Amino acid sequence: TSRALSATTALRTSLPDLLKPSDTFVRRHIGPTEKDVAEMLKVVGSSSLDEFIDSVVPKGIRLQKKLTIGPALSESEMLAHLKEMAGKNKILRSHIGMGFYNTIVPPVILRNVLESPAWYTPYTPYQAEVSQGRLQSLLNFQTGVIELTGMEVANGSLLDEATAGGEAMTMCYSFANRKKSTFLVSDTCHPQTLSVMKTRASGFNINLKVVKASEITKQDLSDVCGAMIQYPDTHGHLGSYKELADHLHKSGSLCVVATDLLALCVAQPPGAWGADIVFGSAQRFGVPMGYGGPNAAFFATHQQYKRSMPGRIIGVSKDSNGKLALRMALQTREQHIRREKATSNICTAQALLANTAAFYMLHHGPDGLKRIAERTHAIAVLAAKGLGQIEGVSIVGNLFFDTVHVKLSSPVATKVLNTAVSKGINLRQVNEHEITIAFDETSTPEHAVDVVNLFGESLSSQKRVNIDQLTALVSQADLAFPQDIARTTPPLSHPIFSSIGCETDLLRYIYELQNKDLGLQTAMIPLGSCTMKLNATTEMIPITWPEFGQLHPFAPLDQAQGYAELFKNLEAQLREITGFEHVSLQPNSGAQGEYAGLMTIRNYHIANKQPNRTVCLIPHSAHGTNPASAVMCGFVVEPVECDEHGNIDTADLARKAEKHAANLGALMITYPSTHGVFEETVKELIQIVHSHGGLVYMDGANMNAQVGLCSPGNMGADVCHLNLHKTFCIPHGGGGPGMGPICVVPRLAPFLPSHPVIPVGDLTESAVSAAPWGSASILPIPYAYITMMGGEGLTYATKIAILNANYMATRLKSSYQVLYAGANGRVAHEFILDMRPFKAALQITESDVAKRLLDYSFHAPTMSWPVGGTLMFEPTESEPKSELDRLCDALIAIRAEIKQVEDGLIGRSNNVLKHAPHPLSVIVSDNWRRPYTREQAAFPVESLRTKKFWPTVSRLDDVYGDRNLVCSCPPMEAYKSS
Amino acid sequence: TSRALSATTALRTSLPDLLKPSDTFVRRHIGPTEKDVAEMLKVVGSSSLDEFIDSVVPKGIRLQKKLTIGPALSESEMLAHLKEMAGKNKILRSHIGMGFYNTIVPPVILRNVLESPAWYTPYTPYQAEVSQGRLQSLLNFQTGVIELTGMEVANGSLLDEATAGGEAMTMCYSFANRKKSTFLVSDTCHPQTLSVMKTRASGFNINLKVVKASEITKQDLSDVCGAMIQYPDTHGHLGSYKELADHLHKSGSLCVVATDLLALCVAQPPGAWGADIVFGSAQRFGVPMGYGGPNAAFFATHQQYKRSMPGRIIGVSKDSNGKLALRMALQTREQHIRREKATSNICTAQALLANTAAFYMLHHGPDGLKRIAERTHAIAVLAAKGLGQIEGVSIVGNLFFDTVHVKLSSPVATKVLNTAVSKGINLRQVNEHEITIAFDETSTPEHAVDVVNLFGESLSSQKRVNIDQLTALVSQADLAFPQDIARTTPPLSHPIFSSIGCETDLLRYIYELQNKDLGLQTAMIPLGSCTMKLNATTEMIPITWPEFGQLHPFAPLDQAQGYAELFKNLEAQLREITGFEHVSLQPNSGAQGEYAGLMTIRNYHIANKQPNRTVCLIPHSAHGTNPASAVMCGFVVEPVECDEHGNIDTADLARKAEKHAANLGALMITYPSTHGVFEETVKELIQIVHSHGGLVYMDGANMNAQVGLCSPGNMGADVCHLNLHKTFCIPHGGGGPGMGPICVVPRLAPFLPSHPVIPVGDLTESAVSAAPWGSASILPIPYAYITMMGGEGLTYATKIAILNANYMATRLKSSYQVLYAGANGRVAHEFILDMRPFKAALQITESDVAKRLLDYSFHAPTMSWPVGGTLMFEPTESEPKSELDRLCDALIAIRAEIKQVEDGLIGRSNNVLKHAPHPLSVIVSDNWRRPYTREQAAFPVESLRTKKFWPTVSRLDDVYGDRNLVCSCPPMEAYKSS
Ligand SMILES: Cc1ncc(COP(=O)(O)O)c(C=O)c1O
Ligand SMILES: Cc1ncc(COP(=O)(O)O)c(C=O)c1O
Ligand SMILES: O=C([O-])O
């Protein structure tokens, strides 16, 4: 195949063209070359790309002008541009704390996990047989969390500490069957946690009461589903809460604890004194602060509450050969299933960052972590001792871990903070009389000296201390915790945490795990609705620059000018792409975007004195997060039917809009539809809803079929979210991070999320994330992508994404039934193959075909969504034609394997599909007793002989795993013996 | 297993200890934990580590004081320290040229090749069956070189362009059977190439004559073995050399051409007009300048000269199943075999950088490369046009590719250069009247404008030009080359170069290849004499920082203050470690170090009026590079015998020293000996040589057994080289880069290598490398290693390296015969297992055992060196005990497999050893007809079932490959069909 860049010579090219940079990006991002495109157009029967696109995208919704984004920067130009921007961030030493701490990312983890496509490109481990590596790592994360918190079960991460607080609250509410609607929360939780919980409470109509921790026991608990404290609290204080927990339990309320993993290395695990739910941020376990995110929240509870626990849980099970195998457990709890009954909408989480934290735990082991905790505490003690000697300064409380709480005798906190900034140090001002100073892994005794001296200087005391003087103030007893606080058990007792000694060990373990997982570095991941496109290296490089990584989210804004410029530029691009006027970058996943967008609509109606507008129309075909998000915002979901072509049934919609006219709040639609079709009627649907006073929310998951061709704003919608981890190249990280910013029309702008610490909007108590701009540090990825593509490149990408899907659908339609198509028999950027006929006739299921694809070195497509018994494929524009052909060839070969069953040549229950996938242990086994040969199983097509990715276990036994839920590492012997 | 860091609590640890950083390095570098060490000491029968070391290292040579290096920095402290140092380098835009150009490292290659342990940790691909990935990549490199140069065979890289020039000269000399001793070289070759050739010529007594290219045909050619020109030459001029080549051929002389790969994308390949040897630097194909290196030199010639070609050649062959398979070809030409007859000593080359260049070629493909070349040329034309308009400036010549040669009417070049520097630009000053300006891939039209305007400004012409004015000066005809210069064939016609379209393609190809190769990220590589220790991530991170990468080696010294500090600090560390007083960082491999060290000795003798001291004593057991280097310096090698214990035969040495007393130049020894023994008599040997007027060269390959315990200087040697890519953590890169600095006693200091452009020593014409400090950009690696270990850590590492070897030898001695041991039955840091008894009795060879180890997921040890029929193991200190045990278990299991043959249970020619290794294609095959089962072949020990690295081909057929030498990529079908 020849190049996208066709042959040029100096004599044939114009000088200005010749002088363009040598590292332009569009041809690197797009899979098919110009020559491929020509061939593919022939196959789909179009004479040109534009004619083809005209046959797919309805005329009525097409944009009338080109995107004004550009000119595109080349890769090196982009890196230089971002480097300059990054340079505008000023990295002061942060003692701000509040849930965000400096940490040392061990370089071996930085480079081989965070920066490695083998770790950042895979999807959520739905296909367990090709995901055992990250499943093990997430299990390590859960095991560490369970041990540190002293709980029984943990999940594989939530989006951030603040939303985890919200999830804990709604879990208590749900566990009380929504019968007790009061939730108490201590006023010394982090302000951003309180704020997000307030937003969450409003949707559920939970009565959230902020009280002093010491007052909780004095409350009437009859309507209280749970109460929450922070340990250590936002000002650093540790306390004894056993009595509180007992008291709560007596009245049937749950005890929720926000905590800190590093503190738990030396402090008693909340599980030991009665906590029912324990959560917090794992950021300081090796994940840079990144101006707020991404980082992994952890969440742990007791065995008895496991089915109410939000998020994904990794569980231990076995495969069809009885071999130990991991997979996502209890999937039936997920919002896909619960829909309108959901209390949580979490889908994309923070797998990559949970893995980073897990490797950090392995790297340091129990002794190492304990030492880091003790050292951090010791430095805080040094500072406290020194500060305590300064006149006008007193230390509040004497039980703290890493944060010193200082009271000033006169109201000079601002002055002290200014002095600090002038010395390159950020402190936290609680009020004009109070300051806190947090220490962390990167702190040194000299930092304590600096802090003491800057207080001294600010308060005009002349005496400077040095390290020896400070040290002399500290006795061994000062370093010890009292009995009711001190942890007595080792922090991480599972042998896995002591199995890694040296860097060689860890490096080999990282590679051992990654080699079990199929990521984009190996093959296509054709998951429909997931848009697994190229995560280009140039997009990834800036995000681990310290200038983006080491900024505290609550640092003064004048220190974050680089980020400010990034947000401003990116917002402008997203406005241009979506056709909306305002953007919030706060939501840190697609589902969070839905939630934020619907809250915006909800608050708009309330402000308009129409609080009754609570009906939300949602098509049956919608993604499960849609109804879940709606419910969380206080909407009542009214499902809308689809017709046999996969389109929303306009008549049904009109009927229901009319029926609910007075109370109509919103319509949620996905465009192109989740069935992979450009609906001709979309504008009409929107008009119907508008005409009845409702607003329209567009789920941007399928934006990859729209960019540059049409837009939510242009179609008339009022809000949309964008999955920056789909359309805009943030890698999926094996299940997160993501970013789900929302774009809105002007009238909704006043209702966008704000933030309690850094106000970014007009509305108080509307925060949806812990950080003002969500996972800010990964925003260079979409910005780089959009800027290197330019408007023209982006539009071309959309066209090729649609062409790739139609090319495959065309090649496959004689072998399989392609479900749903638009006006001209075209699919959009994805398509559905119906497997139900095989099931009906031969008991061969969509799952059998999906698992057999693993044997052909592919990730399986989306299974049984949005239609049960089908497979949905989305190739994206980044897959080269050769890989599309390889997938078509595989599916055609599988069709021939099905035909063998059809023809009775092989049995219905004992065939290559039913036994798929075939790991090496099965293929190599000396006891091969199958009605097909090893080579037929392993090498059904020739190309696999020279290049094959091997599933590492046989098909998972899900039932067994759910019945016997184990979500921490089994004993080491279990691994060996299986 | 527990941690090296034993459990601490605040109450048990002293405060200062507790306050040490959390990321100390020694425990990351060292494999065995404290607990492991205790267990291992028991096995070797010692009560403490110190007692153990006393039993190994002879008392007489032990250092009396500790190394004064320290205190050790932690990982993050080290990175901060290096960042600060790097910041002292000023990166101006370089238009210096002279063989070093700016280049854009494609980020996908930067991160996934240059920065990936899968690519940088493997060894030279001696074990072809676990090295097919980098063999393919090196074959791609050769294929690209062959196509671009128009030659028939190419090698897999040489050390740099200048040494490649030396190699070309000696190859001509050798091809003429050393009968014609004159070599002509054009005076417009790069000065550093001329200088290195002069050094090389002196050793061989070649009469090197520097002449004008136009004068070559006028010379008497009867004694001329070859003549060399540069194309384009050092000032940028292209010329027509067909007549010259014809003329040389007529008189039986070879035509040697130094050239530039980017120029060859648009200029006629030298092979087309008669060149016999073509070489140059592949640096500008994606390898940063790095202040001089590392980068790969290429070298190509005709089929008929292949056996005289220096360096490693990758060849196409087949495996024992007839499947296409690659390997290093024509190994019998290597210096290991030739020894005293060698004309080249090259061993470690530049594989990692050759691979980078190969991926760069794939990334850009023929069209892309051509476009880059045309664009670079166009920008040079722009500049020339603009400069030509300035009064007082004229352009020399009109045939140039990327470099504009300017003549000034008045002697103001210095002034122009100063103006340039003030604008952040470096130019090359030829003399006070001449300047050259080189452009490259990173140049933009604006750079041409800048250059024109700075000349204008310097020469007080007021007029400034802008880009439009410049462009208007250029006609299409200006961009064309005349017929006899213009390339007419596409630059890279093999389909492999057009097979990569997008980044997805390239990323998958990189991973496809790397997954075939066994590197340290997968398993131990116990190659004796190679010291495959941890290449820690923290050591690797700084070397791809732009502050180290983007500096031109000939930039003014005041712009390289960061490097100056690095050199100063590292030299001090190496002095302390070796016990010598002076260091040269110029040699860029171990063999180059030998050469440089011996030249230093040779020049010392000459300066002392003892040019007759040309006898060099070298033990039989020495590495092949030793005699080869000696011969290249003009020494006559006198071999010295070893006794049955593997020690140098003192009596024989004394006899020969005496015999040659009048002419004794040097003794070369390796310590501990290549047999893996600490010889008790080393000081005595040194004294004998000194007493006869000879100097002693110590090969530092085994320095890993010395650091902190003993030292070459302390033993009385006069020179040693250090393989920084062994003892000091520079990764092997799959066959390079390396660094081989030499350390010397004061009297030798005046004779250390200098450099023609940047004088770094006293002696003119003594350069051994193209760059003054060799491969400067990888020096942060040893510096970081030494600084993070500190003296104590380094010494501990040495002790553990020795313990690891003795632990293994002890565990294995009941299964195998351990050859050679020191006084107390101890080996040093490596040991030899004798396989000859199996061969004699059962026809099972050392190779059978080595290949069988591949089936156990190990790299094979060193085979048949230094003793034929044996295997030499070196575990290093970085391997954890678990991996040592895994290797011992594997060897013991293999011994049991041998016993099966011994016992007659299985045949001598058809058994699991003879067929080893077993790739998947064989194991999975439906036609399994072996007297052992698949599982016995694939999973001889249980642990392999869950974790196994698979060889990708069966045993290589070396004879076939050498008989049918193909050293470029075969047709694509060949890959598919096999
Ligand atoms: C249509 C649709 N909506 C919403 C989501 C939820 O997005 P996220 O996983 O980022 O929360 C998805 C995720 O796959 C989706 O496909
Ligand atoms: C004993 C000895 N001397 C010299 C060398 C040559 O070093 P280099 O490969 O760096 O040229 C080696 C390489 O393995 C060696 O083992
Ligand atoms: O290359 C070596 O000789 O080790």
Side-chain angles (χ1 to χ4, degrees), chain A residues 85 250 279 385 412 418 597 602 680 720 756 779 793 867 869 926:
Chain A
M85 197 184 272
K250 255 179 244 146
F279 73 92
K385 287 281 168 180
V412 292
N418 289 341
R602 184 88 193 92
E680 302 266 349
C720 77
L779 291 177
V867 184
D926 288 339

Side-chain angles (χ1 to χ4, degrees), chain A residues 789-813:
Chain A
M789 293 294 279
E792 209 175 310
L794 288 169
T795 309
Y796 185 65
T798 308
K799 294 175 181 175
I800 299 298
I802 297 172
L803 178 62
N804 274 3
N806 279 278
Y807 171 76
M808 281 193 65
T810 308
R811 273 206 61 194
L812 291 169
K813 70 183 174 202

Side-chain angles (χ1 to χ4, degrees), chain A residues 1 3 5-11 13-15 17-23 27-28 30-31 75-76 79 104 107-108 110-112 115-118 361-368 370-372 374-375 378-379 382 441 445 471 474 476 479-480 497-498 500-505 507-508 511-512 514-515 520-524 534-538 540-541 544 878-880 882-883 920 923-927 933-936 938-939 946-947 950 975 978, chain B residues 1 3 5-11 13-15 17-23 27-28 30-31 75-76 79 104 107-108 110-112 115-118 361-368 370-372 374-375 378-379 382 441 445 471 474 476 479-480 497-505 507-508 511-512 514-515 520-524 534-538 540-541 544 878-880 882-883 920 923-926 933-936 938-939 946-947 950 975 978:
Chain A
T1 54
R3 297 311 187 91
L5 175 74
S6 58
T8 59
T9 76
L11 299 180
T13 315
S14 74
L15 190 55
D17 263 1
L18 183 62
L19 293 177
K20 281 188 186 145
S22 67
D23 58 338
R27 68 208 158 105
R28 303 299 178 192
I30 304 280
E75 297 190 50
S76 56
L79 287 173
I104 298 173
V108 58
L110 174 75
R111 189 160 265 185
N112 296 292
E115 296 183 346
S116 165
M361 290 191 248
L362 289 167
H363 181 69
H364 287 294
D367 295 343
K370 198 167 165 195
R371 193 179 175 290
I372 293 171
E374 287 170 343
R375 178 179 179 277
I379 294 172
L382 275 183
E441 182 185 7
T471 313
V474 176
Q476 289 292 43
L479 301 177
F497 295 110
S498 304
I500 303 293
C502 54
E503 181 167 326
T504 297
D505 272 338
L507 183 67
R508 287 185 190 151
Y511 268 80
E512 178 189 343
Q514 83 182 37
N515 285 337
L520 285 176
Q521 86 284 9
T522 299
M524 185 171 178
L534 172 70
N535 312 119
T537 317
T538 299
M540 293 301 294
I541 281 182
T544 43
S878 296
E879 286 302 331
S882 54
E883 188 74 349
L920 261 168
I923 296 280
V924 174
S925 164
D926 288 339
N927 306 305
T933 73
R934 290 178 169 91
E935 294 194 15
Q936 283 164 350
F939 304 138
T946 46
K947 190 178 163 190
W950 289 87
Y975 291 91
S978 81
Chain B
T1 53
R3 299 308 187 92
L5 174 74
S6 59
T8 60
T9 77
L11 301 180
T13 315
S14 74
L15 190 55
D17 262 359
L18 183 61
L19 294 176
K20 282 190 186 143
S22 67
D23 59 339
R27 67 208 159 107
R28 304 297 179 191
I30 303 281
E75 296 190 51
S76 56
L79 287 172
I104 298 173
V108 59
L110 174 75
R111 190 161 264 186
N112 296 290
E115 297 183 345
S116 165
M361 290 190 249
L362 288 166
H363 180 70
H364 287 293
D367 295 345
K370 200 170 162 194
R371 194 178 174 289
I372 293 171
E374 287 170 343
R375 177 179 179 277
I379 294 172
L382 275 182
E441 183 185 6
T471 312
V474 175
Q476 290 291 44
L479 300 176
F497 295 111
S498 304
S499 66
I500 302 293
C502 54
E503 181 167 325
T504 298
D505 273 338
L507 183 67
R508 288 186 190 151
Y511 268 79
E512 178 190 343
Q514 83 183 34
N515 285 338
L520 285 177
Q521 86 284 11
T522 300
M524 185 172 179
L534 173 70
N535 311 119
T537 316
T538 299
M540 293 301 293
I541 280 182
T544 44
S878 296
E879 287 301 332
S882 54
E883 188 74 351
L920 261 168
I923 296 280
V924 174
S925 166
D926 289 339
T933 74
R934 289 177 169 91
E935 296 194 16
Q936 283 165 349
F939 304 139
T946 46
K947 190 176 161 192
W950 289 87
Y975 290 93
S978 83

Side-chain angles (χ1 to χ4, degrees), chain B residues 334-390:
Chain B
E334 287 221 349
Q335 86 295 116
H336 296 270
I337 312 294
R338 279 202 198 152
R339 300 184 75 94
E340 295 91 80
K341 285 181 219 83
T343 44
S344 167
N345 65 347
I346 182 158
C347 182
T348 287
Q350 301 282 17
L352 184 66
L353 301 317
N355 286 330
T356 303
F359 283 118
Y360 179 94
M361 290 190 249
L362 288 166
H363 180 70
H364 287 293
D367 295 345
L369 279 187
K370 200 170 162 194
R371 194 178 174 289
I372 293 171
E374 287 170 343
R375 177 179 179 277
T376 304
H377 175 58
I379 294 172
V381 169
L382 275 182
K385 287 282 169 178
L387 288 166
Q389 304 252 313
I390 297 172

Side-chain angles (χ1 to χ4, degrees), chain A residues 550-570:
Chain A
Q550 291 178 6
L551 209 59
H552 191 288
F554 308 151
L557 288 175
D558 63 354
Q559 295 172 21
Q561 289 306 301
Y563 266 116
E565 187 178 329
L566 173 69
F567 301 153
K568 187 170 136 274
N569 294 1
L570 177 61

